Amino acid sequence: MIRNLRRAVRRAYRRTVDLSHPARSPLGSTVVNCVIYEDGVRQPDTGPVDEALRRVRKSGRGFVWIGLHEPSETEFAGVAELFGLHPLAVEDAVVAHQRPKVERYDETLFAVFKTCGYVEHEELTATSEVVDTGELMIFTGPDFVITVRHGRHGSLGPLREALEDTPEQLAKGPAAVLHAIADHVVDDYLAVADAVQDDIDAVESTVFTEHAGRGDAGRIYQLKRELLELKRAVAPLGRPLQALATQPMPPVGPDIQPYFRDVADHLARVTEQITSFDSLLDSILQAHLAQVTVAQNEDMRKITAWAAIIAVPTMVCGVYGMNFEHMPELRWTYGYPLVLGVMVIACFVVHRSFRRNGWL
């Protein structure tokens, strides 16, 4: 019941994208948005990308934030040329499937984050998808931020709105946007880890019930696979965040670095959670296999006990079925009922003995 309540709360508070907001663009467009910010305030009538950059560099104030969703190489080439982005970083941003990292190219930082989302399901099965991942690339320069998103998760619309509500933070420049994105991604990790914990609790409670099924091994293994997907997104991000928090790296200044340390602490918490989940699933799997082995041994004992009981009349019938001419009791009137009685009593005694020893 508690798990169902948690699922309902997650669905109710799931972030939605409102395309009517000025920060959204029409569906199907590669350029999701292009906005100029001066002193943390959004400027109206930004215009095309090249015009926005010209305005920012002419005034020497603020920065331009451009968002793109799964651009092709041709579509991204113009933006890359306009902002002077390094070809290697451009290739990584277009091709995707990169590990989380932070690289510096002159005055530009290129960061890669893995975005994660929890896939809601009524019941975990051996084929359930639990964790869905995407990628988010960020180019950060002195007067620009370019975000490239791949996958269904990691929409930055709600984040942009939250930043616009705190202009004093947004006024710190592109580094503040980079921090906000990192914090947003790590918060999603925390939410996914908490949801995965509910699934682990459900599997654990099922395994240790009296009616645990032997198919639970498939569910546990599937959960381990999905947990590995989350681990691939979380674990490599630790070193890049530490670098942003401790090393001088333009455009990240000393006033922003403490914020990255806070994000790194949150990431460490998620990493510890995932490690403990992995160990717990190993223990659950071992316990399940031990239960299966015990159940198989009990089945074998029952089969053996019944085979021993059946062996008693089989032996007696086998003796009297040899058809020798001079066997005792063959011509005795009460021989047949006596033999039947002996077989029944012998089977009863053997059955009682097995019941007393817990074999039946």
Side-chain angles (χ1 to χ4, degrees), residues 49-359:
V49 174
D50 53 349
E51 176 63 23
L53 180 62
R54 187 190 64 79
R55 284 176 52 186
V56 167
R57 291 184 174 174
K58 182 178 180 180
S59 64
R61 299 172 53 197
F63 63 95
V64 58
W65 183 354
I66 302 170
L68 302 97
H69 181 251
E70 297 183 353
S72 65
E73 184 177 356
T74 303
E75 292 169 331
F76 196 56
V79 176
E81 182 179 0
L82 180 64
F83 288 89
L85 305 179
H86 196 280
L88 292 178
V90 171
E91 181 182 359
D92 289 346
V94 173
V95 176
H97 304 293
Q98 306 296 319
R99 295 179 75 252
K101 60 182 179 179
V102 173
E103 296 177 341
R104 178 181 176 182
Y105 297 96
D106 297 328
E107 297 299 314
T108 301
L109 278 184
F110 175 62
V112 177
F113 298 110
K114 286 278 190 180
T115 57
C116 287
Y118 179 75
V119 181
E120 296 285 353
H121 47 270
E122 294 299 329
E123 182 181 0
L124 181 68
T125 65
T127 58
S128 294
E129 184 181 11
V130 178
V131 179
D132 188 20
T133 59
E135 291 185 45
L136 187 60
M137 289 81 167
I138 304 99
F139 294 88
T140 310
D143 51 12
F144 66 87
V145 175
I146 303 173
T147 57
V148 182
R149 184 167 60 91
H150 293 266
R152 296 177 294 175
H153 297 283
S155 174
L156 299 179
L159 174 65
R160 185 186 291 268
E161 296 168 17
L163 279 174
E164 290 176 359
D165 291 337
T166 56
E168 63 280 1
Q169 182 70 11
L170 195 55
K172 295 179 181 179
V177 176
L178 179 61
H179 159 261
I181 293 174
D183 188 52
H184 170 78
V185 170
V186 174
D187 284 347
D188 283 346
Y189 293 163
L190 288 168
V192 172
D194 290 340
V196 170
Q197 184 173 9
D198 291 341
D199 286 329
I200 294 176
D201 292 341
V203 169
E204 184 179 19
S205 62
T206 302
V207 166
F208 290 102
T209 58
E210 294 182 359
H211 305 288
R214 297 186 180 180
D216 288 334
R219 301 168 61 204
I220 299 171
Y221 183 72
Q222 177 66 14
L223 199 53
K224 282 184 66 67
R225 285 180 60 109
E226 295 296 311
L227 190 64
L228 178 61
E229 187 74 16
L230 180 60
K231 186 176 182 179
R232 287 173 179 169
V234 174
L237 189 57
R239 184 173 295 178
L241 285 181
Q242 287 295 333
L244 290 171
T246 58
Q247 300 177 11
M249 197 177 296
V252 179
D255 56 332
I256 293 294
Q257 285 182 331
Y259 293 94
F260 282 104
R261 284 199 294 270
D262 180 67
V263 178
D265 289 340
H266 292 171
L267 183 72
R269 173 191 161 190
V270 182
T271 304
E272 291 172 359
Q273 275 187 294
I274 293 174
T275 302
S276 64
F277 290 165
D278 195 32
S279 300
L280 180 59
L281 283 174
D282 285 338
S283 300
I284 294 173
L285 182 59
Q286 292 300 322
H288 173 69
L289 295 177
Q291 285 182 325
V292 171
T293 302
V294 170
Q296 289 176 343
N297 289 338
E298 291 180 353
D299 293 341
M300 289 301 299
R301 286 196 303 179
K302 291 179 180 179
I303 294 172
T304 303
W306 283 111
I309 294 172
I310 295 173
V312 174
T314 302
M315 179 186 67
V316 176
C317 293
V319 170
Y320 281 92
M322 290 187 292
N323 297 322
F324 289 111
E325 183 176 353
H326 301 288
M327 292 183 67
E329 295 90 23
L330 285 179
R331 300 184 182 278
W332 185 33
T333 304
Y334 301 103
Y336 180 70
L338 177 63
V339 171
L340 289 180
V342 169
M343 286 192 297
V344 171
I345 293 173
C347 289
F348 175 77
V349 171
V350 175
H351 183 273
R352 184 71 177 263
S353 175
F354 282 129
R355 286 291 297 271
R356 187 182 299 111
N357 292 326
W359 281 50

